[in-house]
Amino acid sequence: MAPPNPSATSEAAVKARPVGVQIGEAVRKFAGRLPLHVSVIGLAALWSIPTIALLVSSFRDPGLVVTSGWWNAVKDPFSFTLDNYETVLDQNGMARSFLNSLLITIPSTLLTILVAAFAAYAFAWMRFPLRNFLFLVMVGLLVVPLQMTLIPVLKLYVSLNDWFGFLGNDVPLLGGRWFGTNSYAGIWVAHTAYGLPFAVYLLRNFFGGLPRDLFESAYLDGASDFKVFRRIVLPLSMPAIAALAIFQFLWVWNDLLVALIFLGDPDRAPMTLTITNLVSSFGTSYQLLTAAAFVSMALPLVVFFALQRYFVQGILAGSVKG
Amino acid sequence: MAGVTFDKVTKRFDSGLPAVNDFNLVVPDREFLVLVGPSGSGKSTALRLLAGLEEITEGRIFIGDRLVNNISPKDRDIAMVFQSYALYPHMTVYDNMAFGLTLRKVPKEEIRKRVGEAARILGIEGLLKRKPRALSGGQRQRVALGRAIVRDPAVFLFDEPLSNLDAKLRVQTRAEISKLHLRLGTTFIYVTHDQVEAMTMATRIVVMNQGTIQQIGIPQELYDRPRNLFVAGFIGSPAMNFFDGTVVREEGALAIETDGIRLPVAGEKEKQLSSYLGKKVTLGIRPENIHAADFTPMGIRGSVVEAEVEVTESLGNEEILYLMRDGKQFLARVDPRTGARPGIKIRVVIDLERLHTFDPESGESIGLPAAEEKAEQEIQTASP
């Protein structure tokens, strides 16, 4: 006789029990989990309050914002307005700033991922002298404060201004210099350099976790290192690359300091810079700041949700386990 | 189609200890050679050296007539099946199988033909559009085989390909790989730690331990005439029983005395042991050469011994007895009708024609040429 299937017997046992017992069990299960649910929801609410406050305030009348707390907005009189957004978007150069932010952030993010992925592949899978030492140096750079580097890098950029001077002082369409201070390329390189230690560290650890057999199998199949990188490593590393893309995008998008140092020209200022100037020029009218903050948050949110689908669990399933 | 030659190959890792030491082996074309040994014996390293996945420290490896020491893995005309299968998880079964051909710029039509043919041989035509995660262990194993087949290599390498399958599927796949070998008529080199796989599939077996070859031979030869204690203990399940004994003269004939039992030896064995008179030897007896006294097959010249039964393991067609005599445990494989129960005393018959004797110092079998000499001879006759 075949041995009884254990799952079949337990299913039968569940069916055989009276309905009352089943409901009782469900209630008990729910009650058991209740503290967990309450605390998780509570924490989530707590973390969301500042953002909600900001959102509510951004739609309130400027007069009300300064006289009463944001929670009064839900009471009578309901008076919501788009005035704040209108004021912010009508500001001189805000549209241009949005474009500038994109022009700075997208290349900086792509460049970081590209360079970091190449470096991480080499550190993880290629044999060359001093590999571990160089990797340690790279990771060691994580502890160097960004602020320490601003003056030396700025001095370097200033001297490069003359170097690239022969190309003329205005890049067609984009504006600004070709390289050095007040140039897009300069800030791309700066952001990429600042982002690389973390990016290489993150990706190397992920690449290093991919099964060795996959690489050896691909080598035997006739793949070069570049083919392995492109056809095997990149597709399998999308979760890590998506995570890195979000990190880097947010960091560059929200950056004020690097932009302030290297891109002084208001024509090329990103939103962070323009918003800061907005606040200082309007004194304490912080209701404008709330609206500006939301305008600035909109794109990162879109990026986050767009990349979210790459956070796939078990991307390696079926590869090397029996 | 090509043979393989290892000529004095040594591999040392950074720690300095050789993983493979002075490895000499000639594999003729179309052979199904199995490298078997416990973990750490260097069998996988030997295979990886052949594949080009590890660099050779010393020596030369030929595939056919071609020295491959400095040839990259992809140009060695080999295909390898990994223990983990190493399927590309983001590609369909078809793409997995076609990957190697695509990289080699084989025309699309030809790829389709070859993948289709391999899928037909392996019975996986219906799975070509699936991803590896949607396959069972056995199906993945077939895809891994298929990926090797489409490449049509000169030599197939297998690194423990059945270890991740369940017992039933393993037996089935074993037979299929054997069939595949007959069908493709290519050289197969197969690494396993499982001596049953080695015995059932190989045309020749290489037993390895601690980086060196212990014995090379056809399966039956390894079983009947193990060259040293290691091979004797490794091949055969349950393992051979070993006893410490002394060669004595009894009524004009030689006998081996062990724990108060005297086992007379005769014929060829007597000649071999003559120089060991009065010296210690290690005596080996396979469990199947110890029979229950009441169920001893006809025509066996044996000595009767009494022992206490400690444990019995019934397998239906046979019974394994764990016997104890004078504080020494040994195993016997007996007829299931014996009816032995733990705690009782039982009389067993030791088959005197099937005694193995080893020199306790060197571990070498008494009366057989040493393993290295044999390998040396072979390499001289077959070296390109």
Side-chain angles (χ1 to χ4, degrees):
Chain A
M1 205 186 98
N5 180 344
S7 67
T9 49
S10 65
E11 259 170 45
V14 169
K15 271 182 200 149
R17 259 179 283 156
V19 179
V21 174
Q22 278 187 43
I23 292 174
E25 226 166 65
V27 168
R28 212 174 315 131
K29 217 172 176 183
F30 180 75
R33 286 198 177 169
L34 201 59
L36 179 71
H37 286 169
V38 168
S39 47
V40 167
I41 291 169
L43 274 176
L46 204 63
W47 276 91
S48 315
I49 285 175
T51 317
I52 293 169
L54 208 61
L55 181 67
V56 172
S57 298
S58 72
F59 286 106
R60 292 183 80 201
D61 193 80
L64 286 174
V65 169
V66 287
T67 53
S68 64
W70 62 273
W71 51 90
N72 293 310
V74 290
K75 287 195 237 151
D76 272 346
F78 276 116
S79 71
F80 289 107
T81 167
L82 289 172
D83 283 357
N84 297 330
Y85 285 89
E86 267 173 39
T87 317
V88 166
L89 292 174
D90 279 353
Q91 284 303 312
N92 283 338
M94 193 54 93
R96 172 73 207 193
S97 295
F98 187 82
L99 186 68
N100 285 342
S101 276
L102 283 179
L103 280 174
I104 292 166
T105 308
I106 291 173
S108 298
T109 306
L110 293 181
L111 203 60
T112 306
I113 291 172
L114 187 75
V115 178
F118 279 134
Y121 178 85
F123 280 129
W125 290 105
M126 288 167 76
R127 287 178 210 170
F128 57 90
L130 297 179
R131 183 175 79 165
N132 288 335
F133 174 75
L134 288 173
F135 182 63
L136 270 179
V137 170
M138 187 96 203
V139 174
L141 289 176
L142 275 172
V143 302
V144 177
L146 165 59
Q147 292 80 351
M148 297 261 301
T149 68
L150 291 177
I151 291 170
V153 175
L154 188 63
K155 279 178 82 174
L156 177 75
Y157 272 24
V158 169
S159 66
L160 286 176
N161 285 346
D162 301 335
W163 259 70
F164 285 87
F166 72 95
L167 289 169
N169 266 341
D170 226 9
V171 179
L173 297 175
L174 295 180
R177 290 200 183 86
W178 287 94
F179 198 81
T181 57
N182 210 3
S183 73
Y184 286 108
I187 201 161
W188 295 339
V189 171
H191 274 305
T192 303
Y194 291 135
L196 271 181
F198 175 71
V200 174
Y201 177 68
L202 182 91
L203 289 185
R204 197 219 85 103
N205 284 350
F206 192 88
F207 292 176
L210 294 172
R212 173 176 289 273
D213 284 0
L214 278 183
F215 290 80
E216 296 186 338
S217 186
Y219 292 143
L220 285 172
D221 264 342
S224 59
D225 270 316
F226 184 71
K227 286 258 167 60
V228 172
F229 176 77
R230 205 172 63 83
R231 307 272 310 255
I232 313 279
V233 173
L234 280 191
L236 292 180
S237 302
M238 279 323 282
I241 290 173
L244 177 63
I246 289 173
F247 270 125
Q248 181 69 7
F249 189 95
L250 288 183
W251 149 244
V252 178
W253 185 268
N254 291 333
D255 162 76
L256 173 66
L257 184 62
V258 177
L260 198 59
I261 305 288
F262 295 110
L263 277 184
D265 188 341
D267 283 347
R268 268 158 294 289
M271 284 185 78
T272 45
L273 209 53
T274 315
I275 291 170
T276 317
N277 293 338
L278 181 84
V279 176
S280 34
S281 54
F282 280 79
T284 53
S285 56
Y286 92 94
Q287 78 283 358
L288 290 182
L289 189 62
T290 60
F294 266 89
V295 172
S296 169
M297 269 166 68
L299 195 74
L301 280 176
V302 171
V303 170
F304 181 80
F305 287 113
L307 291 179
Q308 207 185 20
R309 70 191 178 94
Y310 290 109
F311 292 110
V312 198
Q313 280 197 341
I315 196 163
L316 284 169
S319 162
V320 293
K321 281 279 149 59
Chain B
M1 316 282 128
V4 169
T5 307
F6 287 85
D7 181 18
K8 299 200 175 68
V9 173
T10 295
K11 170 69 186 177
R12 266 184 225 99
F13 287 108
D14 296 340
S15 59
L17 284 172
V20 170
N21 198 4
D22 196 21
F23 191 89
N24 289 308
L25 177 67
V26 176
V27 188
D29 191 17
R30 294 165 186 249
E31 182 161 61
F32 195 138
L33 183 97
V34 176
L35 293 169
V36 67
S39 42
S41 62
K43 56 192 191 306
S44 281
T45 307
L47 193 78
R48 292 168 60 81
L49 287 171
L50 175 56
L53 297 173
E54 303 282 354
E55 267 178 51
I56 301 167
T57 314
E58 279 165 36
R60 298 181 299 167
I61 294 180
F62 295 89
I63 295 175
D65 298 335
R66 198 158 62 119
L67 179 68
V68 295
N69 281 34
N70 294 320
I71 293 178
S72 74
K74 64 184 165 118
D75 298 322
R76 292 192 181 195
D77 200 11
I78 47 173
M80 185 156 165
V81 178
F82 291 82
Q83 175 178 2
S84 63
Y85 316 142
L87 302 180
Y88 310 124
H90 55 301
M91 298 184 197
T92 62
V93 169
Y94 181 92
D95 290 337
N96 259 284
M97 287 165 73
F99 187 64
L101 299 177
T102 317
L103 290 176
R104 276 157 220 274
K105 309 231 159 34
V106 175
K108 275 226 165 84
E109 198 47 45
E110 170 76 10
I111 294 178
R112 200 170 306 139
K113 212 181 83 195
R114 284 211 227 167
V115 172
E117 170 72 9
R120 201 176 50 73
I121 293 175
L122 296 165
I124 52 172
E125 294 120 305
L127 308 175
L128 289 176
K129 289 207 176 87
R130 293 212 203 154
K131 295 261 179 81
R133 78 173 73 91
L135 303 178
S136 70
Q139 289 168 334
R140 285 175 199 167
Q141 216 279 336
R142 278 157 195 273
V143 176
L145 277 178
R147 200 166 58 175
I149 292 173
V150 294
R151 294 259 315 278
D152 191 21
V155 183
F156 279 93
L157 309 180
F158 297 86
D159 191 3
E160 311 223 9
L162 304 184
S163 303
N164 286 347
L165 298 180
D166 65 57
K168 195 177 164 195
L169 209 52
R170 205 178 307 162
V171 174
Q172 223 176 349
T173 316
R174 219 159 63 193
E176 277 175 31
I177 293 179
S178 291
K179 258 194 276 177
L180 201 63
H181 176 243
L182 292 177
R183 180 176 184 140
L184 299 175
T186 312
T187 314
F188 277 37
I189 298 182
Y190 188 109
V191 162
T192 179
H193 64 270
D194 182 350
Q195 48 112 359
V196 179
E197 274 174 35
M199 293 293 283
T200 50
M201 300 165 81
T203 50
R204 236 166 22 126
I205 297 177
V206 176
V207 182
M208 291 189 69
N209 189 33
Q210 297 184 337
T212 54
I213 295 179
Q214 302 294 314
Q215 187 170 359
I216 305 174
I218 61 168
Q220 197 63 46
E221 186 189 336
L222 293 188
Y223 188 83
D224 291 340
R225 288 191 295 281
R227 226 162 267 285
N228 57 34
L229 279 172
F230 178 80
V231 178
F234 191 77
I235 301 286
S237 173
M240 188 186 275
N241 300 299
F242 294 112
F243 304 89
D244 296 326
T246 315
V247 180
V248 295
R249 190 173 288 283
E250 186 187 59
E251 295 165 11
L254 286 186
I256 299 168
E257 190 173 71
T258 168
D259 297 333
I261 316 166
R262 281 191 176 206
L263 302 169
V265 290
E268 189 74 5
K269 199 101 230 163
E270 185 167 18
K271 238 181 278 167
Q272 291 162 2
L273 284 176
S274 54
S275 61
Y276 279 83
L277 182 61
K279 291 188 194 158
K280 291 208 177 305
V281 291
T282 301
L283 175 68
I285 308 170
R286 291 207 183 273
E288 52 270 45
N289 300 130
I290 303 176
H291 306 275
D294 298 338
F295 293 93
T296 306
M298 300 275 278
I300 284 201
R301 199 174 67 86
S303 278
V304 179
V305 173
E306 202 178 51
E308 190 182 322
V309 179
E310 287 214 304
V311 178
T312 66
E313 289 177 352
S314 180
L315 300 170
N317 61 335
E318 62 188 22
E319 197 159 15
I320 311 291
L321 302 183
Y322 290 67
L323 301 170
M324 184 66 96
R325 188 193 150 90
D326 292 341
K328 163 85 187 157
Q329 193 190 51
F330 60 101
L331 273 67
R333 183 189 289 216
V334 301
D335 192 289
R337 291 168 295 176
T338 308
R341 292 284 160 269
I344 66 163
K345 293 229 170 193
I346 186 177
R347 287 165 66 236
V348 292
V349 174
I350 295 171
D351 186 345
L352 296 174
E353 306 284 342
R354 299 294 190 97
L355 298 182
H356 300 267
T357 48
F358 303 92
D359 185 308
E361 308 240 305
S362 68
E364 297 292 325
S365 174
I366 296 171
L368 289 174
E372 301 86 53
E373 291 168 30
K374 181 85 183 293
E376 198 82 13
Q377 283 161 13
E378 268 179 59
I379 201 139
Q380 273 159 13
T381 52
S383 186

